[in-house]
Amino acid sequence: YSKFGQGLGPMPAITAVFLYSLLPIMRNTYLALTGVEPGIREAAKGIGMTFGQRLSDRQAIQWWVADAATRIHAARLMTYDCAWKLDTGRDVRQEISMIKAYATEMAWDVVDHAMQTFGAMGMTKELPLQQMANEARLMRIYEGPTEVHRWLVARNHLANYR
């Protein structure tokens, strides 16, 4: 038996658990990307029009696109940072809770906005958005609700100041 940090010990098992925890996070980022692309394409090509203008000319849609792109990028960077820390043998429990809380809410919001862009069509089964919304909702519960991860992050963060 070797102690943690010496030889292999339990490190491979711990790393596997943390890697498994990153899978739903990566799935949320994928959901957001695949949900946002059709909406952006529709808005930019002028397929969707309101009062004679393309959807992409509307400020609300532009803000949605900017927010979605920024949040997806942030989720990716947070995931890369966590994976790098895991590769270097650091404790990533706090980061995993942060990313789970962030990425699940991000995926839900991005898919919801994509559905909003398509209007009633976004709710039909002709587009994959309804299924993505169902999956994004399930991810908010899977491996602990978002609220639990927020509580863990707050508890651990506040402990540094006590």
Side-chain angles (χ1 to χ4, degrees):
Y1 177 78
S2 64
K3 293 183 180 179
F4 182 81
Q6 294 179 349
L8 292 178
M11 203 52 190
I14 292 168
T15 301
V17 168
F18 288 144
L19 281 174
Y20 179 76
S21 295
L22 287 174
L23 292 176
I25 295 166
M26 292 184 284
R27 179 70 185 153
N28 283 320
T29 306
Y30 171 78
L31 267 176
L33 277 170
T34 55
V36 76
E37 285 178 3
I40 291 172
R41 200 175 309 112
E42 166 122 350
K45 286 184 178 178
I47 296 169
M49 303 281 284
T50 60
F51 302 105
Q53 286 189 316
R54 289 188 308 224
L55 286 173
S56 61
D57 294 337
R58 301 290 179 189
Q59 189 175 43
I61 301 297
Q62 292 170 355
W63 287 357
W64 166 71
V65 169
D67 289 347
T70 302
R71 293 177 75 191
I72 290 168
H73 185 66
R76 267 195 192 147
L77 291 178
M78 290 169 74
T79 305
Y80 294 156
D81 179 63
C82 183
W84 174 76
K85 286 178 180 177
L86 184 61
D87 281 348
T88 58
R90 297 182 190 176
D91 183 1
V92 292
R93 289 177 289 183
Q94 179 80 345
E95 285 81 358
I96 285 177
S97 283
M98 286 178 181
I99 301 168
K100 281 185 180 179
Y102 182 81
T104 54
E105 294 298 318
M106 177 273 299
W108 172 256
D109 291 343
V110 167
V111 170
D112 183 59
H113 281 104
M115 291 175 79
Q116 185 74 21
T117 300
F118 280 98
M121 181 94 173
M123 295 297 294
T124 66
K125 292 187 179 185
E126 291 181 42
L127 298 175
L129 294 173
Q130 182 186 29
Q131 179 62 35
M132 288 178 187
N134 290 340
E135 194 170 336
R137 182 64 182 114
L138 284 173
M139 289 300 210
R140 292 171 73 193
I141 300 166
Y142 183 69
E143 285 196 19
T146 303
E147 292 79 12
V148 171
H149 290 289
R150 285 182 175 149
W151 172 75
L152 288 169
V153 169
R155 182 188 70 180
N156 293 335
H157 193 69
L158 291 171
N160 294 330
Y161 295 97
R162 293 185 178 150

